[in-house]
Amino acid sequence: MPDQSERVVIIGSGPAGWTAAIYAARANLDPLVVEGAGSRTMIPGGQLMFTTDVENYPGFPTGVTGPEMMTAFKQQAERFGTRVITEDVVEVELSAQPKVLRTSGGREIEADTVIVATGANARWLGIPGEERLARVGGGVSACAVCDGALPAFRDARLAVVGGGDSAMEEAIYLTNFAAKVFLIHRRDEFRASPIMAERALGNEKIEVLWNTVVTEVHGDDFVEKLALEDTVTGAASELEVGGLFVAIGHEPNVGFLDGQLPLKENGYVQLPNPGRMATDISGVFVAGDVTDDFYRQAITAAGMGCQAALEAERWIALELKPSPVESAAGD
Ligand code: NAP
């Protein structure tokens, strides 16, 4: 027996999830958001919880912090009656009708429609020493905003790996605490947007190590030095640092789907109809970074959350016959 039966369950609590919840709640669908239990690399609210200033989300002329924005999104969804549980969805049966979701808290939830908005998670280098030190809080992190202000990093020499906007943002942020930040990139040009790259290049505390990869992290309990390799010459070198921040992109959070939705080659959820959020499975919709390997912006994720909720609302109206009780009440 399920513990609860829902019309709309939204899995995930970033801009896509909360926007879907706002729309579904205002359509009187009484949505349930399963916001995630939190882990070493992700917390409810998603990637924006690790972002300092969001300057490109319309409506905030002086900017807003990621956590402030996600708190406001959640409050807006709750204002219209959205219910929230702080657990992970660990198992799904999406082809069943109603769909069945099982959570890390041991609940079994039936749902007429499901909106998957689980976003993406930080990617790691996979080099020796990285995971061991990250796990024990030994100065290896994928989130400068979460960890950068820790006393251990004050006035230290720190390294950031990556060449995208995240790496620029993390390096700039870390200059607030560090004596020096080495920005290590495997090519000789950044992927980051010009404005972010200029800010990093113009910061006197940041030194860029071009054409360089980290091959090993050394240190017993805490990072002491990095083994480096020049990607052009193959020359090996070492760099003494007191912290390593990995900012090399993200992986979509699709593990719990257990192959029930088709994925693109790069692991993001494949959608059959361009511009639509409906998946191959009737009554299942996706939104945000879990399917978007191209734009990956808060505003685009929010837009997809809106679309997914409108599609779910329409699906319920067209596909679900009202129960006899509802039908009689309406007579
Ligand atoms: P990204 O744009 O995919 O950049 C990842 C970077 O990591 C690339 O420079 C890549 O190198 C490098 N990389 C990947 N795998 C690597 C490996 N194994 N070893 C070494 N380097 C590796 O990811 P992102 O920076 O996280 O940004 C994702 C999206 O979020 C983007 O659309 C970005 O604009 C957006 N974003 C915006 C802001 C903002 O506006 N404030 C802040 C953060 C993120 P290559 O360049 O050689 O591939």
Side-chain angles (χ1 to χ4, degrees), residues 78-100:
E78 287 179 326
R79 181 181 150 211
F80 297 108
T82 299
R83 290 157 302 127
V84 182
I85 58 174
T86 309
E87 295 175 15
D88 288 327
V89 171
V90 292
E91 213 175 275
V92 291
E93 289 172 30
L94 295 181
S95 296
Q97 194 58 45
K99 291 101 185 45
V100 181

Side-chain angles (χ1 to χ4, degrees), residues 3-331:
D3 299 302
Q4 56 200 93
S5 294
E6 305 286 341
R7 276 186 286 182
V8 181
V9 175
I10 297 156
I11 312 173
S13 53
W18 292 127
T19 305
I22 291 165
Y23 273 78
R26 293 191 76 254
N28 286 334
L29 293 174
D30 193 23
L32 175 73
V33 171
V34 187
E35 68 168 353
S39 68
R40 184 168 60 84
T41 54
M42 193 43 68
I43 51 177
Q47 292 179 61
L48 276 167
M49 300 304 283
F50 306 139
T51 299
T52 40
D53 294 326
V54 181
E55 294 176 336
N56 51 12
Y57 200 96
F60 299 92
T62 55
V64 60
T65 71
E68 273 169 3
M69 189 159 103
M70 283 304 91
T71 303
F73 272 43
K74 180 176 180 178
Q75 285 170 344
Q76 193 171 346
E78 287 179 326
R79 181 181 150 211
F80 297 108
T82 299
R83 290 157 302 127
V84 182
I85 58 174
T86 309
E87 295 175 15
D88 288 327
V89 171
V90 292
E91 213 175 275
V92 291
E93 289 172 30
L94 295 181
S95 296
Q97 194 58 45
K99 291 101 185 45
V100 181
L101 312 176
R102 295 187 189 87
T103 72
S104 52
R107 290 175 209 243
E108 186 168 301
I109 304 170
E110 274 187 359
D112 292 334
T113 61
V114 172
I115 297 175
V116 177
T118 43
N121 231 351
R123 197 184 282 152
W124 294 87
L125 293 166
I127 54 172
E130 180 192 46
E131 194 194 334
R132 175 176 59 83
L133 287 166
R135 214 167 344 107
V136 299
V140 175
S141 166
C143 177
V145 180
C146 321
D147 301 328
L150 295 173
F153 298 124
R154 296 258 160 187
D155 299 319
R157 285 155 54 92
L158 304 177
V160 173
V161 179
D165 280 336
S166 299
M168 304 302 121
E169 194 173 64
E170 303 233 326
I172 294 164
Y173 179 72
L174 289 171
T175 60
N176 291 320
F177 318 102
K180 171 143 191 154
V181 177
F182 296 92
L183 184 49
I184 302 174
H185 184 39
R186 62 185 177 182
R187 292 189 293 135
D188 62 358
E189 118 188 92
F190 286 138
R191 176 181 297 276
S193 55
I195 188 170
M196 298 292 285
E198 272 165 34
R199 276 185 205 168
L201 290 168
N203 190 309
E204 58 187 19
K205 279 195 180 175
I206 296 178
E207 179 179 336
V208 183
L209 304 183
W210 301 103
N211 297 319
T212 303
V213 288
V214 183
T215 54
E216 186 165 357
V217 190
H218 294 285
D220 292 335
D221 303 321
F222 212 87
V223 184
E224 288 166 16
K225 63 184 176 190
L226 306 177
L228 305 180
E229 189 179 296
D230 187 307
T231 55
V232 178
T233 64
S237 60
E238 287 186 344
L239 180 71
E240 282 187 21
V241 291
L244 170 66
F245 292 83
V246 179
I248 60 166
H250 295 83
E251 303 277 358
N253 293 318
V254 293
F256 71 99
L257 295 171
D258 197 25
Q260 292 177 46
L261 287 178
L263 304 179
K264 302 182 216 177
E265 247 175 38
N266 59 8
Y268 287 74
V269 175
Q270 174 90 57
L271 289 173
N273 304 306
R276 299 288 299 274
M277 298 296 117
T279 67
D280 281 325
I281 301 181
S282 184
V284 179
F285 307 86
V286 297
D289 284 12
V290 72
T291 184
D292 177 13
D293 55 351
F294 189 74
Y295 299 108
R296 296 184 288 190
Q297 302 298 306
I299 186 78
T300 48
M304 285 185 250
C306 157
Q307 289 173 270
L310 292 176
E311 290 190 41
E313 183 187 350
R314 196 162 302 163
W315 188 93
I316 287 169
L318 293 177
E319 302 287 331
L320 280 192
K321 304 250 180 313
S323 69
V325 176
E326 278 173 328
S327 177
D331 287 344

